[in-house]
Amino acid sequence: MRIEKIHDTPATTPSTAPQTGPSRAPRADEVTKPPQDRADVDPEALEPSPSPGPEARPANLQVGNMNLGGGNAEARSRFDEIKKTVGEQVVHNGIDVATFQEVDVGTRRVGGKDYNQEILSAVFEADLGGRDTQALGDGRYQTTLPDGTRRIATITQEKPADGNGDVTVYTATYQDEAGQDVRYTMVHGRSIDHDGGTFGNSVLLGPGQELPRDENGQIREGAIQVHEIGEDRGSKERRTALEVNTAEGQTVISTHFTAGSEDSKQKARSAEYRSVDEICQGKPEVILGGDLNSAPGESYTVGGLWGWNPFGRDYRYPSAGEMGFEEGTGGGGLDHVLVRGGDAVGHHSVDGVERVHGFDWVDVAD
């Protein structure tokens, strides 16, 4: 499996604390995450990620996941705090790829905000150690640096040439303290129209992670797809999986499964598992992040599902032949990051971001 981090600067001595001033996103081997910033599910995860050795290889990709809670009133009321935390975690932990769910775009319930632009602006602020970041209009955001000077990021939007109306690609560009160009990409896949706007899943690509483009700069056909994986009939919500294929050959999927323990919800969730498995067939390098509304234990089958490597915890999922759930939302941990073709050398999370969902990230080695 080819999973690499790509940065323009050479490795440096690992730091002893997250950087708080202007900085580029550090590489995985340049940062030591302080225990006080983490409340991991596993006691082992409170320790620093394993150092390279006979039993552990260095991580070369950092993968994050979070449900932003656009469909939850409490999370919406705390979104400014949530986006700040996400921006800091993306930058200080060198996140290369992150998946997000419940992403609102222009809905009345979030005051017309576009969560994709908001997350990108928070990453921009955290990367430069800025404050009081404001939208200037036309996709421009201004932040104030510690020395009082101001810096601007521009966020553009584009649609893939293949005409997939469910997909919007956001690209944030700005210059770091050394005058080097920095680029983050947010790919959004619409699931439903709602409350004057849209609602769906997103994938963030950090510096060095690119979408495949042709000689004219157009996103290659089929690089981004929004898949129908079922319908939550109780809420009449179209469930989707956003598939993003990177220029480096990875497939990244962000999805949000049906919640609830009623028989109809269990059946819907089972169908969603099957659909995602079909999407992943024939793709050896896959990262799946999402709110699967499934927890360890209960009536799940022990071990990995269809070749997935369930790292970090003893995850249990329904098998292909026995898909029933007894208590699909019971137990701890509804949000998961799974991979095919890679190994995890660390699992970390930040609690307190919002009541139900935290920001989780994992160190992935090829």
Side-chain angles (χ1 to χ4, degrees), residues 247-325:
E248 287 301 303
Q250 295 114 24
T251 298
V252 184
I253 295 176
S254 179
T255 191
H256 187 189
F257 285 177
T258 295
S261 59
E262 302 95 325
D263 182 66
S264 62
K265 305 292 189 181
Q266 294 173 10
K267 290 179 178 178
R269 198 160 41 241
S270 295
E272 289 153 11
Y273 271 111
R274 290 193 187 96
S275 294
V276 169
D277 183 54
E278 290 175 0
I279 294 168
C280 297
Q281 291 297 326
K283 302 178 186 294
E285 304 177 14
V286 185
I287 297 166
L288 169 64
D291 178 358
L292 304 185
N293 277 306
S294 305
E298 309 304 337
S299 62
Y300 299 82
T301 301
V302 178
L305 170 66
W306 310 315
W308 292 102
N309 173 16
F311 53 77
R313 287 174 276 182
D314 183 20
Y315 288 151
R316 302 185 180 196
Y317 296 102
S319 69
E322 185 177 287
M323 297 294 293
F325 289 76

Side-chain angles (χ1 to χ4, degrees), residues 83 113-114 116-122 124-125 132-143 150-155 172-174:
K83 75 174 184 180
K113 292 180 179 178
D114 184 329
N116 298 285
Q117 292 195 65
E118 294 290 318
I119 292 295
L120 287 172
S121 71
F124 162 59
E125 179 181 274
D132 302 327
T133 301
Q134 299 178 357
L136 302 179
D138 297 324
R140 297 185 306 137
Y141 287 79
Q142 177 178 274
T143 195
R150 295 180 174 87
R151 197 72 61 85
I152 290 177
T154 301
I155 302 176
T173 55
Y174 56 91

Side-chain angles (χ1 to χ4, degrees), residues 17 20 80 103 109 135 160 168 194 196 220 226 242 244 312 316 318:
T20 56
D80 285 346
V103 181
R109 67 186 181 184
T168 305
H194 182 74
R220 292 194 179 278
V226 175
L242 170 64
V244 177
R316 302 185 180 196

Side-chain angles (χ1 to χ4, degrees), residues 48-203:
S49 298
S51 299
E55 300 299 327
R57 291 172 292 168
N60 45 25
L61 195 77
Q62 299 275 24
V63 180
N65 176 72
M66 185 178 178
N67 183 324
L68 296 178
N72 179 276
E74 179 185 357
R76 291 196 299 270
S77 70
R78 297 183 58 195
F79 181 71
D80 285 346
E81 177 186 352
I82 291 170
K83 75 174 184 180
K84 179 178 176 63
T85 299
V86 170
E88 290 172 347
Q89 294 302 316
V90 166
V91 170
H92 296 158
N93 295 300
I95 302 299
D96 299 286
V97 174
T99 53
F100 298 97
Q101 302 79 49
E102 294 198 34
V103 181
D104 273 51
V105 177
T107 63
R108 286 183 288 268
R109 67 186 181 184
V110 300
K113 292 180 179 178
D114 184 329
Y115 274 15
N116 298 285
Q117 292 195 65
E118 294 290 318
I119 292 295
L120 287 172
S121 71
V123 170
F124 162 59
E125 179 181 274
D127 196 12
L128 296 185
R131 56 181 172 81
D132 302 327
T133 301
Q134 299 178 357
L136 302 179
D138 297 324
R140 297 185 306 137
Y141 287 79
Q142 177 178 274
T143 195
T144 302
L145 304 186
D147 63 3
T149 60
R150 295 180 174 87
R151 197 72 61 85
I152 290 177
T154 301
I155 302 176
T156 59
Q157 298 183 34
E158 65 179 309
K159 293 285 188 179
D162 56 17
N164 190 332
D166 287 335
V167 173
T168 305
V169 177
Y170 302 75
T171 303
T173 55
Y174 56 91
Q175 289 190 332
D176 63 17
E177 72 280 8
Q180 299 296 312
D181 289 338
V182 178
R183 181 169 59 249
Y184 280 87
T185 301
M186 195 87 157
V187 181
H188 179 68
R190 165 193 167 276
S191 294
I192 60 172
D193 293 325
H194 182 74
D195 197 24
T198 66
F199 180 66
N201 305 298
S202 292
V203 170

